[in-house]
Amino acid sequence: MILELDCGNSFIKWRVLKALVGTVVSEGVVDSNQALIESLRMIASLSLRKCRLVSVRTSEETGALIELIEREFSIPIVSAKPAREMSGVRNGYEDYERLGLDRWLAMLGGFHLAAGRPCLVLDFGTAVTADFVAADGEHLGGFICPGMPLMRNQLRTHTRKIRYGDEAAERALSSHVPGRTTVEAVERGCSLMLRGFVLTQLELARAYWGEGFTVFITGGDAELVAGVSPEARVIPDLVFVGLAMACPLS
């Protein structure tokens, strides 16, 4: 079995694959290293042989996680690294090592799945990112803005009267009509900002490529914006597609 990890700023997304056939045995999202270990321990007949991971955390945080996994499971671990070019995609950053690894892997996965077409990769996590990859694999650049968690938390932190729980937030997102309570106004306002971001990226992509491009939407809040671009391919595990390309395990 292979353990795959996507270590973001707020959460660790994990999944366990059968090594030979690549089917998912189990998967989940946790908020701490120890929660990851506890989740893995609950898998019946767990027999890990290898691990590959991508992390946007500090080297110290990533090192602590790697040390914990090695101690618990005694398996080799391969980490994704920055690259100037890989699998036909050319990193468009002036300093290629500064491009977030999660973005890089999502681009690799998107370009691979686009099968020769240019692609727009939209990732909706703690931050929201957009990246443009031409048909020849050239990364044209991208954008970063606050995601739903950051927008929500900033309003909660800096506005004293905005206080509500996650359940109320989820109920508020059942509609996009103007809110009649604070939670509705905040949640729907933030959601509409994300939807507006998608529309702007689509306009830019059309300016580059007309209608001949593929849109990929990924990340924890992908479903909030999927309806804005009905033709988009919603692939929650797009980073893992790129991770398998960057860190092949024989």
Side-chain angles (χ1 to χ4, degrees), residues 44-57:
S45 303
L46 180 67
S47 180
L48 295 178
R49 294 289 180 264
K50 300 176 182 179
C51 172
R52 56 189 169 209
L53 67 82
V54 55
S55 176
V56 297
R57 301 182 172 193

Side-chain angles (χ1 to χ4, degrees), residues 141-163:
F143 299 95
I144 304 172
C145 71
M148 196 73 169
L150 287 177
M151 288 192 287
R152 178 190 294 132
N153 290 338
Q154 283 295 303
L155 285 169
R156 285 175 172 174
T157 299
H158 296 288
T159 308
R160 293 181 180 178
K161 292 186 178 180
I162 295 181
R163 297 289 184 274

Side-chain angles (χ1 to χ4, degrees), residues 3-6 11-16 24-31 35-36 39-40 43 237 240:
L3 173 63
E4 294 185 327
L5 302 175
D6 176 6
F11 299 99
I12 300 172
K13 187 174 183 178
W14 63 270
R15 68 181 190 178
V16 174
V24 177
V25 174
S26 187
E27 61 186 342
V29 179
V30 294
D31 59 3
L36 170 65
S39 297
L40 293 173
I43 302 174
D237 295 331
F240 284 140

Side-chain angles (χ1 to χ4, degrees), residues 6 13 15 27 102 105-115 119-124 214-223 225-226 229 231-242:
D6 176 6
K13 187 174 183 178
R15 68 181 190 178
E27 61 186 342
D102 51 348
L105 296 185
M107 282 191 285
L108 294 183
F111 184 73
H112 171 70
L113 296 175
C119 62
L120 167 62
V121 180
L122 302 171
D123 192 339
F124 292 86
T214 303
V215 182
F216 295 97
I217 297 179
T218 190
D221 285 328
E223 294 298 334
V225 298
S229 178
E231 71 280 6
R233 298 177 62 179
V234 179
I235 303 181
D237 295 331
L238 190 59
V239 169
F240 284 140
V241 175

Side-chain angles (χ1 to χ4, degrees), residues 4 34 40 42 49 58 64 76 87 116 119 131 135 158-159 168 171 182-183 199 215 220 225-228 242 245:
E4 294 185 327
Q34 194 56 45
L40 293 173
M42 294 176 64
R49 294 289 180 264
T58 65
S87 300
C119 62
D131 284 288
H158 296 288
T159 308
R171 288 194 301 270
T182 298
V183 60
L199 291 172
V215 182
V225 298
V228 180
M245 297 167 65

